[in-house]
Every structure is written in C-alpha cells, then in structure tokens.
Short mmCIF file of all heavy atoms in Angstrom, two decimals:
data_model
loop_
_atom_site.label_atom_id
_atom_site.label_comp_id
_atom_site.label_asym_id
_atom_site.label_seq_id
_atom_site.Cartn_x
_atom_site.Cartn_y
_atom_site.Cartn_z
N MET A 1 130.26 128.01 -49.35
CA MET A 1 131.54 127.32 -49.61
C MET A 1 131.51 126.67 -50.99
O MET A 1 130.57 125.99 -51.35
CB MET A 1 131.78 126.25 -48.53
CG MET A 1 132.87 125.27 -48.91
SD MET A 1 134.42 125.54 -48.10
CE MET A 1 134.09 124.81 -46.49
N LEU A 2 132.59 126.92 -51.71
CA LEU A 2 132.72 126.39 -53.06
C LEU A 2 133.79 125.30 -53.02
O LEU A 2 134.89 125.52 -52.52
CB LEU A 2 133.15 127.53 -53.99
CG LEU A 2 133.49 127.20 -55.44
CD1 LEU A 2 132.27 126.69 -56.17
CD2 LEU A 2 134.05 128.44 -56.13
N THR A 3 133.47 124.12 -53.51
CA THR A 3 134.45 123.04 -53.56
C THR A 3 134.70 122.69 -55.02
O THR A 3 133.77 122.42 -55.77
CB THR A 3 133.95 121.81 -52.79
OG1 THR A 3 133.61 122.20 -51.46
CG2 THR A 3 135.03 120.74 -52.72
N LEU A 4 135.98 122.71 -55.38
CA LEU A 4 136.37 122.48 -56.77
C LEU A 4 137.39 121.36 -56.86
O LEU A 4 138.21 121.19 -55.96
CB LEU A 4 137.00 123.74 -57.36
CG LEU A 4 136.16 125.01 -57.38
CD1 LEU A 4 137.04 126.22 -57.69
CD2 LEU A 4 135.05 124.90 -58.40
N THR A 5 137.35 120.63 -57.95
CA THR A 5 138.43 119.71 -58.26
C THR A 5 139.27 120.35 -59.36
O THR A 5 138.73 120.77 -60.39
CB THR A 5 137.88 118.36 -58.76
OG1 THR A 5 137.11 117.78 -57.72
CG2 THR A 5 139.02 117.41 -59.11
N VAL A 6 140.57 120.44 -59.10
CA VAL A 6 141.50 121.03 -60.07
C VAL A 6 142.50 119.94 -60.43
O VAL A 6 143.45 119.69 -59.69
CB VAL A 6 142.21 122.26 -59.49
CG1 VAL A 6 143.11 122.91 -60.53
CG2 VAL A 6 141.20 123.28 -58.96
N LYS A 7 142.26 119.29 -61.58
CA LYS A 7 143.03 118.08 -61.88
C LYS A 7 144.51 118.36 -62.14
O LYS A 7 145.33 117.47 -61.99
CB LYS A 7 142.39 117.30 -63.03
CG LYS A 7 142.47 117.98 -64.38
CD LYS A 7 142.06 116.99 -65.49
CE LYS A 7 141.88 117.64 -66.85
NZ LYS A 7 142.87 118.61 -67.24
N ASP A 8 144.84 119.60 -62.55
CA ASP A 8 146.24 119.92 -62.85
C ASP A 8 147.01 120.45 -61.65
O ASP A 8 148.16 120.85 -61.78
CB ASP A 8 146.31 120.93 -63.99
CG ASP A 8 145.79 120.35 -65.31
OD1 ASP A 8 145.84 119.11 -65.47
OD2 ASP A 8 145.33 121.12 -66.17
N MET A 9 146.39 120.46 -60.49
CA MET A 9 147.11 120.91 -59.29
C MET A 9 147.95 119.74 -58.76
O MET A 9 147.44 118.80 -58.19
CB MET A 9 146.10 121.35 -58.21
CG MET A 9 146.79 121.81 -56.93
SD MET A 9 145.66 122.54 -55.73
CE MET A 9 144.84 121.06 -55.09
N SER A 10 149.28 119.83 -59.03
CA SER A 10 150.11 118.66 -58.73
C SER A 10 151.21 118.92 -57.71
O SER A 10 151.90 117.99 -57.31
CB SER A 10 150.72 118.13 -60.03
OG SER A 10 151.37 119.18 -60.71
N CYS A 11 151.42 120.17 -57.31
CA CYS A 11 152.45 120.43 -56.32
C CYS A 11 152.15 121.72 -55.57
O CYS A 11 151.16 122.38 -55.85
CB CYS A 11 153.83 120.52 -57.00
SG CYS A 11 154.07 122.05 -57.93
N GLY A 12 153.02 122.04 -54.64
CA GLY A 12 152.80 123.22 -53.81
C GLY A 12 152.79 124.51 -54.61
O GLY A 12 152.09 125.46 -54.25
N HIS A 13 153.55 124.55 -55.70
CA HIS A 13 153.55 125.75 -56.52
C HIS A 13 152.19 125.95 -57.17
O HIS A 13 151.70 127.07 -57.26
CB HIS A 13 154.65 125.68 -57.60
CG HIS A 13 156.01 125.88 -57.03
ND1 HIS A 13 156.94 124.87 -56.98
CD2 HIS A 13 156.59 126.95 -56.46
CE1 HIS A 13 158.04 125.33 -56.40
NE2 HIS A 13 157.86 126.59 -56.08
N CYS A 14 151.62 124.86 -57.67
CA CYS A 14 150.27 124.94 -58.25
C CYS A 14 149.30 125.48 -57.21
O CYS A 14 148.50 126.38 -57.50
CB CYS A 14 149.78 123.57 -58.69
SG CYS A 14 150.78 122.78 -59.95
N ALA A 15 149.36 124.92 -56.02
CA ALA A 15 148.43 125.32 -54.96
C ALA A 15 148.59 126.81 -54.66
O ALA A 15 147.60 127.52 -54.49
CB ALA A 15 148.66 124.48 -53.71
N ALA A 16 149.85 127.28 -54.64
CA ALA A 16 150.10 128.69 -54.35
C ALA A 16 149.56 129.57 -55.47
O ALA A 16 148.98 130.64 -55.21
CB ALA A 16 151.59 128.92 -54.16
N THR A 17 149.73 129.13 -56.71
CA THR A 17 149.23 129.90 -57.86
C THR A 17 147.72 129.99 -57.81
O THR A 17 147.13 131.04 -58.07
CB THR A 17 149.67 129.23 -59.18
OG1 THR A 17 151.10 129.16 -59.20
CG2 THR A 17 149.20 130.02 -60.39
N ILE A 18 147.09 128.87 -57.47
CA ILE A 18 145.64 128.82 -57.37
C ILE A 18 145.13 129.75 -56.27
O ILE A 18 144.19 130.51 -56.45
CB ILE A 18 145.18 127.36 -57.14
CG1 ILE A 18 145.36 126.58 -58.45
CG2 ILE A 18 143.75 127.29 -56.63
CD1 ILE A 18 145.32 125.08 -58.29
N GLU A 19 145.81 129.69 -55.13
CA GLU A 19 145.42 130.55 -54.01
C GLU A 19 145.53 132.02 -54.41
O GLU A 19 144.65 132.83 -54.13
CB GLU A 19 146.29 130.24 -52.80
CG GLU A 19 145.79 130.92 -51.55
CD GLU A 19 146.39 130.34 -50.28
OE1 GLU A 19 146.86 129.17 -50.30
OE2 GLU A 19 146.40 131.06 -49.27
N LYS A 20 146.62 132.35 -55.10
CA LYS A 20 146.85 133.72 -55.54
C LYS A 20 145.77 134.16 -56.53
O LYS A 20 145.29 135.29 -56.48
CB LYS A 20 148.24 133.80 -56.19
CG LYS A 20 148.84 135.18 -56.19
CD LYS A 20 150.28 135.13 -56.67
CE LYS A 20 150.64 136.43 -57.40
NZ LYS A 20 151.90 136.30 -58.14
N ALA A 21 145.39 133.26 -57.44
CA ALA A 21 144.37 133.59 -58.44
C ALA A 21 143.04 133.89 -57.76
O ALA A 21 142.34 134.84 -58.12
CB ALA A 21 144.23 132.45 -59.44
N VAL A 22 142.70 133.08 -56.77
CA VAL A 22 141.44 133.30 -56.04
C VAL A 22 141.49 134.64 -55.31
O VAL A 22 140.54 135.43 -55.36
CB VAL A 22 141.15 132.16 -55.05
CG1 VAL A 22 139.94 132.50 -54.20
CG2 VAL A 22 140.93 130.85 -55.79
N LYS A 23 142.62 134.90 -54.68
CA LYS A 23 142.73 136.15 -53.91
C LYS A 23 142.81 137.37 -54.81
O LYS A 23 142.55 138.49 -54.38
CB LYS A 23 143.92 136.07 -52.95
CG LYS A 23 143.65 134.99 -51.91
CD LYS A 23 144.34 135.20 -50.61
CE LYS A 23 143.75 134.23 -49.57
NZ LYS A 23 144.42 134.30 -48.29
N GLY A 24 143.14 137.15 -56.09
CA GLY A 24 143.10 138.24 -57.05
C GLY A 24 141.67 138.69 -57.31
O GLY A 24 141.40 139.84 -57.64
N VAL A 25 140.74 137.75 -57.18
CA VAL A 25 139.32 138.06 -57.36
C VAL A 25 138.74 138.60 -56.07
O VAL A 25 137.96 139.55 -56.06
CB VAL A 25 138.54 136.79 -57.79
CG1 VAL A 25 137.06 137.09 -57.92
CG2 VAL A 25 139.09 136.25 -59.09
N ASP A 26 139.12 137.97 -54.97
CA ASP A 26 138.59 138.37 -53.66
C ASP A 26 139.70 138.25 -52.62
O ASP A 26 139.97 137.16 -52.10
CB ASP A 26 137.41 137.45 -53.28
CG ASP A 26 136.89 137.76 -51.88
OD1 ASP A 26 137.31 138.77 -51.28
OD2 ASP A 26 136.05 136.98 -51.39
N PRO A 27 140.33 139.38 -52.29
CA PRO A 27 141.44 139.35 -51.33
C PRO A 27 141.02 138.80 -49.97
O PRO A 27 141.86 138.32 -49.20
CB PRO A 27 141.85 140.83 -51.21
CG PRO A 27 141.34 141.47 -52.46
CD PRO A 27 140.10 140.72 -52.84
N ALA A 28 139.72 138.85 -49.66
CA ALA A 28 139.25 138.38 -48.37
C ALA A 28 138.87 136.90 -48.39
O ALA A 28 138.45 136.34 -47.38
CB ALA A 28 138.04 139.21 -47.94
N ALA A 29 139.04 136.25 -49.54
CA ALA A 29 138.63 134.84 -49.65
C ALA A 29 139.48 133.95 -48.75
O ALA A 29 140.66 134.23 -48.50
CB ALA A 29 138.78 134.38 -51.10
N ARG A 30 138.89 132.89 -48.28
CA ARG A 30 139.64 131.87 -47.55
C ARG A 30 139.77 130.68 -48.49
O ARG A 30 138.78 130.19 -49.03
CB ARG A 30 138.91 131.47 -46.26
CG ARG A 30 138.82 132.66 -45.30
CD ARG A 30 138.20 132.26 -43.99
NE ARG A 30 138.99 131.22 -43.34
CZ ARG A 30 138.66 130.65 -42.18
NH1 ARG A 30 137.56 131.02 -41.57
NH2 ARG A 30 139.42 129.73 -41.66
N VAL A 31 141.00 130.24 -48.68
CA VAL A 31 141.28 129.19 -49.65
C VAL A 31 141.97 128.03 -48.96
O VAL A 31 142.95 128.21 -48.24
CB VAL A 31 142.20 129.71 -50.78
CG1 VAL A 31 142.33 128.66 -51.88
CG2 VAL A 31 141.69 131.02 -51.36
N GLY A 32 141.44 126.84 -49.18
CA GLY A 32 142.08 125.63 -48.66
C GLY A 32 142.37 124.70 -49.83
O GLY A 32 141.52 124.49 -50.68
N THR A 33 143.60 124.18 -49.88
CA THR A 33 143.94 123.27 -50.98
C THR A 33 144.37 121.93 -50.40
O THR A 33 145.02 121.86 -49.36
CB THR A 33 145.08 123.83 -51.85
OG1 THR A 33 146.19 124.15 -51.02
CG2 THR A 33 144.64 125.08 -52.59
N ASP A 34 143.99 120.88 -51.08
CA ASP A 34 144.39 119.53 -50.67
C ASP A 34 144.97 118.82 -51.89
O ASP A 34 144.22 118.45 -52.81
CB ASP A 34 143.19 118.78 -50.10
CG ASP A 34 143.62 117.43 -49.55
OD1 ASP A 34 144.43 117.39 -48.62
OD2 ASP A 34 143.16 116.40 -50.09
N LEU A 35 146.29 118.68 -51.89
CA LEU A 35 146.95 118.12 -53.07
C LEU A 35 146.55 116.68 -53.38
O LEU A 35 146.25 116.36 -54.53
CB LEU A 35 148.48 118.20 -52.90
CG LEU A 35 149.12 119.55 -53.28
CD1 LEU A 35 150.61 119.50 -52.96
CD2 LEU A 35 148.91 119.85 -54.75
N PRO A 36 146.55 115.77 -52.40
CA PRO A 36 146.26 114.36 -52.73
C PRO A 36 144.92 114.17 -53.43
O PRO A 36 144.81 113.32 -54.31
CB PRO A 36 146.27 113.67 -51.37
CG PRO A 36 147.11 114.53 -50.50
CD PRO A 36 146.90 115.95 -50.99
N THR A 37 143.94 114.97 -53.06
CA THR A 37 142.61 114.82 -53.69
C THR A 37 142.37 115.89 -54.76
O THR A 37 141.29 115.93 -55.36
CB THR A 37 141.49 114.92 -52.64
OG1 THR A 37 141.57 116.20 -51.99
CG2 THR A 37 141.61 113.84 -51.59
N LYS A 38 143.36 116.76 -54.99
CA LYS A 38 143.25 117.84 -55.99
C LYS A 38 142.00 118.68 -55.75
O LYS A 38 141.30 119.07 -56.69
CB LYS A 38 143.28 117.27 -57.41
CG LYS A 38 144.56 116.51 -57.71
CD LYS A 38 144.62 116.09 -59.15
CE LYS A 38 145.83 115.21 -59.47
NZ LYS A 38 147.10 115.89 -59.28
N THR A 39 141.74 118.93 -54.49
CA THR A 39 140.54 119.68 -54.11
C THR A 39 140.91 121.08 -53.64
O THR A 39 141.90 121.26 -52.93
CB THR A 39 139.80 118.94 -52.97
OG1 THR A 39 139.42 117.65 -53.45
CG2 THR A 39 138.56 119.70 -52.53
N VAL A 40 140.11 122.04 -54.07
CA VAL A 40 140.26 123.42 -53.62
C VAL A 40 138.94 123.86 -53.01
O VAL A 40 137.89 123.72 -53.65
CB VAL A 40 140.64 124.36 -54.79
CG1 VAL A 40 140.73 125.81 -54.31
CG2 VAL A 40 141.96 123.93 -55.42
N ARG A 41 139.02 124.36 -51.78
CA ARG A 41 137.80 124.87 -51.14
C ARG A 41 137.95 126.37 -50.98
O ARG A 41 138.98 126.85 -50.52
CB ARG A 41 137.60 124.23 -49.76
CG ARG A 41 137.19 122.78 -49.86
CD ARG A 41 136.84 122.20 -48.50
NE ARG A 41 136.46 120.79 -48.65
CZ ARG A 41 137.34 119.81 -48.76
NH1 ARG A 41 138.63 120.07 -48.67
NH2 ARG A 41 136.94 118.56 -48.92
N VAL A 42 136.89 127.07 -51.34
CA VAL A 42 136.94 128.53 -51.30
C VAL A 42 135.75 129.06 -50.52
O VAL A 42 134.61 128.66 -50.78
CB VAL A 42 136.91 129.13 -52.72
CG1 VAL A 42 136.95 130.65 -52.67
CG2 VAL A 42 138.07 128.60 -53.55
N GLU A 43 136.04 129.91 -49.55
CA GLU A 43 134.99 130.64 -48.87
C GLU A 43 135.10 132.08 -49.30
O GLU A 43 136.09 132.74 -49.01
CB GLU A 43 135.21 130.56 -47.35
CG GLU A 43 134.34 129.52 -46.66
CD GLU A 43 134.55 129.57 -45.17
OE1 GLU A 43 134.00 130.49 -44.54
OE2 GLU A 43 135.29 128.70 -44.66
N SER A 44 134.08 132.54 -50.02
CA SER A 44 134.15 133.89 -50.58
C SER A 44 132.75 134.40 -50.85
O SER A 44 131.84 133.63 -51.15
CB SER A 44 134.94 133.84 -51.89
OG SER A 44 134.80 135.04 -52.60
N ALA A 45 132.61 135.72 -50.76
CA ALA A 45 131.32 136.34 -51.08
C ALA A 45 131.17 136.53 -52.58
O ALA A 45 130.10 136.84 -53.09
CB ALA A 45 131.21 137.68 -50.37
N VAL A 46 132.27 136.33 -53.31
CA VAL A 46 132.27 136.54 -54.76
C VAL A 46 131.63 135.34 -55.46
O VAL A 46 131.71 134.20 -54.98
CB VAL A 46 133.72 136.76 -55.25
CG1 VAL A 46 133.80 136.78 -56.77
CG2 VAL A 46 134.26 138.06 -54.69
N ASP A 47 130.99 135.62 -56.58
CA ASP A 47 130.34 134.60 -57.39
C ASP A 47 131.29 133.46 -57.77
O ASP A 47 132.43 133.69 -58.16
CB ASP A 47 129.86 135.30 -58.66
CG ASP A 47 128.66 134.61 -59.27
OD1 ASP A 47 127.75 134.25 -58.51
OD2 ASP A 47 128.67 134.40 -60.49
N ALA A 48 130.80 132.23 -57.65
CA ALA A 48 131.62 131.06 -57.99
C ALA A 48 132.14 131.14 -59.42
O ALA A 48 133.29 130.77 -59.69
CB ALA A 48 130.80 129.79 -57.79
N ALA A 49 131.32 131.65 -60.34
CA ALA A 49 131.73 131.72 -61.75
C ALA A 49 132.97 132.59 -61.93
O ALA A 49 133.84 132.30 -62.76
CB ALA A 49 130.58 132.26 -62.60
N ALA A 50 133.08 133.65 -61.13
CA ALA A 50 134.23 134.56 -61.23
C ALA A 50 135.49 133.85 -60.74
O ALA A 50 136.58 134.04 -61.29
CB ALA A 50 133.98 135.82 -60.41
N ILE A 51 135.34 133.02 -59.74
CA ILE A 51 136.49 132.28 -59.21
C ILE A 51 136.94 131.22 -60.20
O ILE A 51 138.13 131.07 -60.49
CB ILE A 51 136.13 131.68 -57.83
CG1 ILE A 51 136.03 132.82 -56.81
CG2 ILE A 51 137.18 130.66 -57.39
CD1 ILE A 51 135.40 132.47 -55.52
N VAL A 52 135.98 130.51 -60.76
CA VAL A 52 136.30 129.49 -61.76
C VAL A 52 136.99 130.15 -62.97
O VAL A 52 137.98 129.62 -63.49
CB VAL A 52 135.02 128.74 -62.19
CG1 VAL A 52 135.27 127.88 -63.43
CG2 VAL A 52 134.51 127.88 -61.04
N ALA A 53 136.51 131.33 -63.37
CA ALA A 53 137.10 132.04 -64.51
C ALA A 53 138.54 132.44 -64.20
O ALA A 53 139.42 132.33 -65.06
CB ALA A 53 136.26 133.27 -64.86
N ALA A 54 138.79 132.88 -62.97
CA ALA A 54 140.15 133.29 -62.59
C ALA A 54 141.09 132.09 -62.62
O ALA A 54 142.24 132.20 -63.03
CB ALA A 54 140.13 133.93 -61.20
N LEU A 55 140.60 130.94 -62.19
CA LEU A 55 141.43 129.73 -62.22
C LEU A 55 141.70 129.30 -63.65
O LEU A 55 142.82 128.88 -63.98
CB LEU A 55 140.78 128.60 -61.42
CG LEU A 55 140.66 128.81 -59.91
CD1 LEU A 55 140.14 127.56 -59.24
CD2 LEU A 55 141.97 129.24 -59.30
N ASP A 56 140.71 129.40 -64.50
CA ASP A 56 140.90 129.10 -65.93
C ASP A 56 142.02 129.96 -66.48
O ASP A 56 142.94 129.47 -67.17
CB ASP A 56 139.63 129.41 -66.72
CG ASP A 56 138.60 128.29 -66.67
OD1 ASP A 56 138.95 127.19 -66.20
OD2 ASP A 56 137.45 128.52 -67.09
N GLU A 57 141.95 131.26 -66.16
CA GLU A 57 142.91 132.22 -66.67
C GLU A 57 144.32 131.90 -66.15
O GLU A 57 145.31 132.14 -66.83
CB GLU A 57 142.48 133.61 -66.22
CG GLU A 57 142.85 134.72 -67.18
CD GLU A 57 142.08 135.99 -66.84
OE1 GLU A 57 140.86 136.03 -67.09
OE2 GLU A 57 142.70 136.91 -66.28
N ALA A 58 144.40 131.39 -64.94
CA ALA A 58 145.70 131.06 -64.35
C ALA A 58 146.23 129.72 -64.88
O ALA A 58 147.33 129.31 -64.56
CB ALA A 58 145.56 131.00 -62.82
N GLY A 59 145.42 129.04 -65.70
CA GLY A 59 145.86 127.78 -66.28
C GLY A 59 145.44 126.55 -65.51
O GLY A 59 145.99 125.45 -65.72
N TYR A 60 144.46 126.72 -64.61
CA TYR A 60 143.99 125.59 -63.81
C TYR A 60 142.48 125.43 -63.92
O TYR A 60 141.73 125.86 -63.03
CB TYR A 60 144.39 125.77 -62.34
CG TYR A 60 145.88 125.70 -62.16
CD1 TYR A 60 146.66 126.84 -62.09
CD2 TYR A 60 146.51 124.47 -62.10
CE1 TYR A 60 148.03 126.77 -61.95
CE2 TYR A 60 147.89 124.38 -61.96
CZ TYR A 60 148.64 125.53 -61.89
OH TYR A 60 150.00 125.45 -61.77
N PRO A 61 142.04 124.80 -65.00
CA PRO A 61 140.60 124.56 -65.14
C PRO A 61 140.08 123.72 -63.98
O PRO A 61 140.78 122.82 -63.50
CB PRO A 61 140.50 123.76 -66.46
CG PRO A 61 141.81 123.90 -67.14
CD PRO A 61 142.82 124.21 -66.09
N SER A 62 138.89 124.05 -63.53
CA SER A 62 138.34 123.38 -62.36
C SER A 62 136.92 122.92 -62.62
O SER A 62 136.24 123.44 -63.51
CB SER A 62 138.37 124.33 -61.17
OG SER A 62 137.59 125.48 -61.46
N VAL A 63 136.52 121.94 -61.84
CA VAL A 63 135.17 121.40 -61.93
C VAL A 63 134.56 121.45 -60.54
O VAL A 63 135.19 121.02 -59.57
CB VAL A 63 135.20 119.94 -62.43
CG1 VAL A 63 133.81 119.35 -62.46
CG2 VAL A 63 135.83 119.86 -63.82
N ALA A 64 133.36 121.98 -60.44
CA ALA A 64 132.68 122.04 -59.14
C ALA A 64 132.35 120.62 -58.69
O ALA A 64 131.94 119.78 -59.50
CB ALA A 64 131.42 122.88 -59.24
N VAL A 65 132.52 120.36 -57.41
CA VAL A 65 132.25 119.03 -56.86
C VAL A 65 130.80 118.96 -56.42
O VAL A 65 130.33 119.88 -55.76
CB VAL A 65 133.17 118.72 -55.68
CG1 VAL A 65 132.84 117.35 -55.09
CG2 VAL A 65 134.62 118.78 -56.11
CU1 CU B 1 152.68 122.37 -59.48
#
C-alpha cells in the first residue's frame, strides 16, 4: 500500500483526475482519496515511482507519507 499526500487535491474533480491518472498506470489499482487530509492511498502491483510520475504528469505532485 502506497500512501501519498497530494497538497493540490482540493475538490472532487481533483480526486477523480488523480484516480484516473493512477488507473492509467494500473487499471487494476485500488485508489482511495481523502480530501480533508489530502491523502491518496493506492493498492497496486505497479512501482510507486511510476504512480508518482503519473500524478506529476497529471499536475498533482505528491509526497510519500
Ligand atoms: Cu479540484
């Protein structure tokens, strides 16, 4: 399980974009987002670096917790 803080995730649209970006890397990924804490949890077999890179590309830089 990968837990990330995404400071620019401020609304449901952001969360949806983030979820889509993760699923672009791994369609089988399980993604949980929590807006109040700006936390994204990802369960995926794909390398964490690839997921972080996809979020960067989508405009949502993230920091591992
Ligand atoms: Cu938003």
Side-chain angles (χ1 to χ4, degrees):
M1 165 103 79
L2 174 65
T3 305
L4 301 167
T5 298
V6 183
K7 68 168 171 43
D8 295 334
M9 180 172 75
S10 53
C11 74
H13 287 111
C14 299
T17 302
I18 287 164
E19 189 164 338
K20 203 172 149 193
V22 173
K23 295 207 167 176
V25 177
D26 176 8
R30 296 184 60 181
V31 188
T33 54
D34 185 62
L35 277 176
T37 60
K38 300 186 186 296
T39 299
V40 177
R41 288 187 181 81
V42 180
E43 260 184 77
S44 168
V46 172
D47 207 45
I51 289 167
V52 169
L55 293 187
D56 277 349
E57 211 165 288
Y60 293 97
S62 60
V63 177
V65 178

